[in-house]
Amino acid sequence: MPRNVPVPAEQMIAALIPASLRRARPPRPPLPQLPTPRTGPDLAEAHLDVGRLDPSGRISARALLHLLGWPPGHRVTFDITASVITATSDPAGRHTIGATGLLATSAPIRQLCNLAVGDLVVLLADPAHDLLLVHPARTVVRLLADRRVAGDGG
């Protein structure tokens, strides 16, 4: 084809292009049910316990989970800040409380907090905020030792 001859622009033939279909929007999924607020004397206090990571990365925290009202199958979300795992109640959470009432932590979470099988952890349940904090015991020991050295009495 010679170079100086103009090439016609492509045009779609209307008969080959189907008309757009009008589609109804899919219904919106229902919003998840939020847990009902709890009342009682234990809401103002935080509760402590000590646990140990088993070979599967689970922590026995039945008493604190019961106090929080988190039965087996309850959904939670984990966040990590400064080697502390924060578990919060979340209907859309990716993690669940185990069938036997154990808190299961995934391998990436344990790696980020430098936790290994058999490590001790200090658990703090805060029913007023519906959360559970998991501190590596060595972190708590270091904080107490730092306070002692600083002369705060620890």
Side-chain angles (χ1 to χ4, degrees):
M1 189 169 197
R3 292 187 181 232
N4 56 0
V5 176
V7 177
E10 290 185 20
Q11 294 181 349
M12 295 295 208
I13 301 173
L16 298 177
I17 302 173
S20 61
L21 298 175
R22 195 95 179 151
R23 294 184 185 162
R25 286 188 173 177
R28 289 186 178 183
L31 292 175
Q33 289 286 358
L34 295 176
T36 58
R38 293 186 313 273
T39 59
D42 290 340
L43 287 178
E45 299 178 24
H47 298 270
L48 287 173
D49 200 355
V50 177
R52 187 177 299 274
L53 247 63
D54 73 4
S56 298
R58 297 173 299 195
I59 304 166
S60 178
R62 288 181 188 98
L64 295 181
L65 295 175
H66 178 72
L67 178 73
L68 289 167
W70 296 359
H74 186 82
R75 296 202 160 277
V76 294
T77 296
F78 291 129
D79 290 311
I80 300 169
T81 307
S83 294
V84 176
I85 302 169
T86 303
T88 53
S89 182
D90 182 359
R94 295 180 64 199
H95 304 278
T96 58
I97 303 301
T100 57
L102 298 175
L103 183 67
T105 58
S106 63
I109 289 172
R110 293 191 306 271
Q111 289 171 352
L112 286 170
C113 293
N114 199 22
L115 289 171
V117 172
D119 281 356
L120 283 174
V121 291
V122 177
L123 305 156
L124 181 128
D126 186 353
H129 296 100
D130 202 27
L131 62 84
L132 178 71
L133 300 174
V134 181
H135 295 269
R138 64 183 167 278
T139 303
V140 176
V141 169
R142 187 176 61 243
L143 290 172
L144 292 174
D146 289 349
R147 283 193 68 194
R148 180 75 175 149
V149 169
D152 293 340

